[in-house]
Amino acid sequence: MLKLLLFMLFLMPLCLNKKLYWLVQYLLFFSFFLFMLDSMKSFHWMKLSYYFGVDFLSYGLILLSIWITGLMMMASEKVYLLNKQEKLFMFMLMILLLLLLLTFSTMNIFMFYLFFEGSLIPTLFLVLGWGYQPERLQAGIYLLFYTLLASLPLLLSIFYLYMNFNSLDYFFYNISDMFNVYIYLSLILAFLVKMPMFLVHLWLPKAHVEAPIAGSMILAGVLLKLGGYGLIRMFMIIQYLSVQLNFLLMSISLVGGSLVCFLCLCQTDMKSLIAYSSVVHMGIVIGGILTMTYWGYAGAYGLMIAHGLCSSGMFCLANIVYERSGSRSLLINRGLLTLMPSLTLWWFLMSSMNMAAPPSLNLLSEISLLNSIVMWSWVSMLSLFFISFLGAAYTLYLYAYSQHGKFMIYYGMSVSVVREYLLLFLHWLPLNLLIFKVDYFFLM
């Protein structure tokens, strides 16, 4: 595991030369393929070195992090062309990637907490430094305080675990029934905020709308997955309590998902709509993890990977339109089919993936999650019906409203360039190819 981390560490000096912008991106993809080919040979902890190692859960999320970071550099060409502190920008991306890899690969729960919180800092700099509107300061403060407020109890709980088990390694914790409600809540609250669960989700739309395209991609693509990863790790420790108390959080997640679907239908800002749809998807993922069944874990893992690629691609599309029209409003960006017909195909493909159409990984994962949640309680079918139906409704609303109708603006709308098509293709291809390796997601 250390060889990958050292590879990323030695990439950082290259960020200090503007001319090496694309070389850094190529080397990221190179490291992705090296790590992928050195694949998992079993489902236990592997590639052990000091406190680092990879099990199956972290393996897929590490691959996703490297892939999304490479695509972020491809999407942020404007930073490079307009000389917007591109060296600092590259450096921030590499620090963020390194922290994510450390988070997913550490086997020590305290180091996990440290890197989990550390990934917040480069994200905050991305939002504040390269964001669009003056409101980005408020969005950054929301992001910071929501996450930090919920993570202090987590730190105290980690100390409590150390007192009881005399170890901070995941695999030395035996499943114990000596915990109480406070430990249960404090261990998982930070991850529920990060996901985010309904009621603690207000930071996400703000951060997404104000962040640059790279910030939106890493937020939707990887940072929300930190929450799911943390929940799965924590529920392995507190299984007894979880079986008794999970129904409260489950009801909030599913009812909240239905309500956010209605919110999506009211949005006129493209980025805001896609951000709220992330809350809906993550609500189902939380539901799947809370069932604590094999189907739920496998479906949550699959949907985290699928949503990372799909949501990131949707943000790229919104950004391509924003760079040309100067607005993200659906009231202004209408009739894009007339102005950018070749891009409409990508809008259709990404929208169909977002509503879990075959042959995407989203479909398989959502079927698995629906199975697990209905198996847990048949009453949840009502919320799932709303989420599934309205999920298709708001995606169609976004697609139809932006592509059809009489266009409002036509000046300055240039056609797309090959880089943008490649960017979208590299989101779409793994999303559909992963369906051929279903055994990877269902042999956890």
Side-chain angles (χ1 to χ4, degrees), residues 5 23 40 51 53 90 95 155 264 309 344 379 381 424-425:
L5 298 175
L23 177 67
M40 295 296 291
Y51 278 112
M90 278 196 283
I95 288 178
L155 182 64
C264 285
L309 291 161
T344 300
V379 181
M381 286 175 74
L424 295 168
F425 179 72

Side-chain angles (χ1 to χ4, degrees), residues 65-107:
S65 305
I66 302 172
W67 189 254
I68 293 289
T69 310
L71 294 178
M72 280 159 62
M73 294 193 72
M74 194 186 286
S76 305
E77 197 192 32
K78 255 195 164 178
V79 173
Y80 173 73
L81 291 177
L82 301 178
N83 297 321
K84 290 185 177 177
Q85 302 286 340
E86 64 290 326
K87 288 185 278 193
L88 184 61
F89 179 75
M90 278 196 283
F91 195 67
M92 280 298 151
L93 290 193
M94 290 313 301
I95 288 178
L96 182 53
L97 177 59
L98 187 65
L99 284 167
L100 286 170
L101 297 191
L102 289 166
T103 311
F104 289 131
S105 62
T106 184
M107 296 181 294

